[in-house]
Amino acid sequence: EVQLAESGGGLVQAGGSLRLSCAVSGFTFDDYSIGWWRQAPGKEREVVSCLTSRIGRTYYADSVKGRFTISSDNAKNTAYLQMNSLKPEDTAVYYCAAMRGMLSGYGPPSFYEFDYWGQGTQVTVSS
């Protein structure tokens, strides 16, 4: 059974940092890419960052480039999203998701390419 479980969310002041974790089971990062998505109240879910660890390919939304870093630890079956220089507009529920195969390298993956999703973790950035 495939499972993804996020942790690490919380309340932080603007300019602060958080590291989100996504513990996975039922698949490996050799076969699946990982994505971090977020959804703010009243807004659509948007992709934040993705990683195909087997080939080291990443994707970052323009809004987080230079501030967020995605990574994974195959031995721990865990993916991470290090978030620095947080802004109030980063406030959202953050989800990790798994997509079979590799990122194309031609723009962001579609929501519909992701097969499995976690339950989400709340990130709140105060001004």
Side-chain angles (χ1 to χ4, degrees):
E1 181 185 6
V2 172
Q3 291 185 327
L4 299 91
E6 304 94 337
S7 61
L11 174 64
V12 64
Q13 288 188 333
S17 298
L18 283 174
R19 188 178 78 157
L20 304 183
S21 299
C22 176
V24 309
S25 60
F27 68 94
T28 71
F29 296 133
D30 287 341
D31 299 320
Y32 282 78
S33 299
I34 283 291
W36 285 97
W37 292 68
R38 67 186 181 188
Q39 188 165 21
K43 294 189 177 181
E44 292 187 353
R45 195 170 296 191
E46 63 175 358
V47 62
V48 175
S49 182
C50 303
L51 169 67
T52 300
S53 60
R54 182 156 58 93
I55 57 173
R57 181 171 289 164
T58 59
Y59 167 83
Y60 292 96
D62 287 344
S63 59
V64 307
K65 279 181 182 175
R67 299 189 298 123
F68 290 12
T69 303
I70 191 170
S71 63
S72 66
D73 185 330
N74 285 13
K76 294 183 178 179
N77 292 323
T78 302
Y80 304 96
L81 185 68
Q82 178 66 44
M83 306 186 296
N84 298 329
S85 302
L86 283 162
K87 305 175 181 180
E89 51 262 44
D90 294 319
T91 295
V93 177
Y94 283 70
Y95 300 89
C96 64
M99 178 186 82
R100 188 168 184 84
M102 299 186 296
L103 297 172
S104 69
Y106 299 100
S110 162
F111 172 90
Y112 300 102
E113 294 184 76
F114 287 84
D115 303 298
Y116 304 101
W117 293 81
Q119 293 300 307
T121 186
Q122 176 71 46
V123 172
T124 302
V125 184
S126 63
S127 57

